[in-house]
Amino acid sequence: MPHVADKKVTVADFDHEYVANASRYAQCEERIREFFPLCEFDGPKRVLDIGAGAGWLGRHLADQGHDVTLVDLSPEAVKIARRVAPECEVVCADMLDFLRGNEERFDVVVLTDVVEEIYQDQLDPLLEMTKGAEVLILSTSTH
């Protein structure tokens, strides 16, 4: 998978990666979907799903009554997510750009299969921008 910080990488590279590995991303979303009920919440939460892919997790969480924002860098994934999860806000953006430009705080932040794509110098800003979250859920799979 190309890294966002690599200037030679284009968004088309992410689209290609998303399409080529859609089943792997679906497995990550399924693992999160199974884990999420274990988090006991006192009512609906504001959920940010970074690396949202096709939006299946977001749809599931919205169906549970949560207010969900989906963020993905791939325009192809975002196009699908807008159809799959129309009740969610869906944003096509780099995760750090989105977080820097967003004043809203989220109760729950989910990063599905993006942790391994974060450079060390991106980790501190990511943690700083998500520190108000009650829960931070990270999921990754081995390639």
Side-chain angles (χ1 to χ4, degrees):
M1 174 66 138
H3 289 278
V4 175
D6 184 345
K7 301 299 183 202
K8 297 175 187 170
V9 174
T10 67
V11 172
D13 294 321
F14 284 92
D15 278 344
H16 175 74
E17 172 71 16
Y18 179 77
V19 171
N21 293 293
S23 65
R24 182 169 58 94
Y25 294 126
Q27 290 171 351
C28 286
E29 290 174 355
E30 184 60 33
R31 287 197 317 269
I32 295 287
R33 201 176 296 131
E34 290 171 2
F35 171 79
F36 211 86
L38 300 176
C39 302
E40 300 203 11
F41 298 123
D42 57 349
K45 297 294 180 186
R46 286 278 304 125
V47 179
L48 173 62
D49 184 359
I50 297 174
W56 291 108
L57 175 62
R59 178 179 175 170
H60 172 75
L61 297 175
D63 287 347
Q64 301 291 318
H66 301 291
D67 182 14
V68 182
T69 299
L70 307 175
V71 177
D72 203 285
L73 184 61
S74 166
E76 190 63 34
V78 166
K79 187 179 354 174
I80 296 167
R82 287 187 174 132
R83 289 193 310 265
V84 168
E87 62 280 0
C88 298
E89 177 183 0
V90 182
V91 179
C92 186
D94 170 81
M95 66 181 163
L96 291 178
D97 291 343
F98 173 81
L99 290 168
R100 284 185 188 113
N102 187 16
E103 295 295 320
E104 187 173 1
R105 290 291 176 208
F106 295 89
D107 304 308
V108 179
V109 178
V110 179
L111 291 106
T112 306
D113 226 15
V114 295
V115 175
E116 66 274 20
E117 307 307 329
I118 299 172
Y119 285 114
Q120 183 63 40
D121 64 341
Q122 296 172 314
L123 189 56
D124 287 339
L126 176 64
L127 293 174
E128 177 64 28
M129 289 180 263
T130 58
K131 73 179 179 183
E134 296 173 26
V135 178
L136 179 62
I137 300 172
L138 307 172
S139 173
T140 187
S141 63
T142 57
H143 307 314

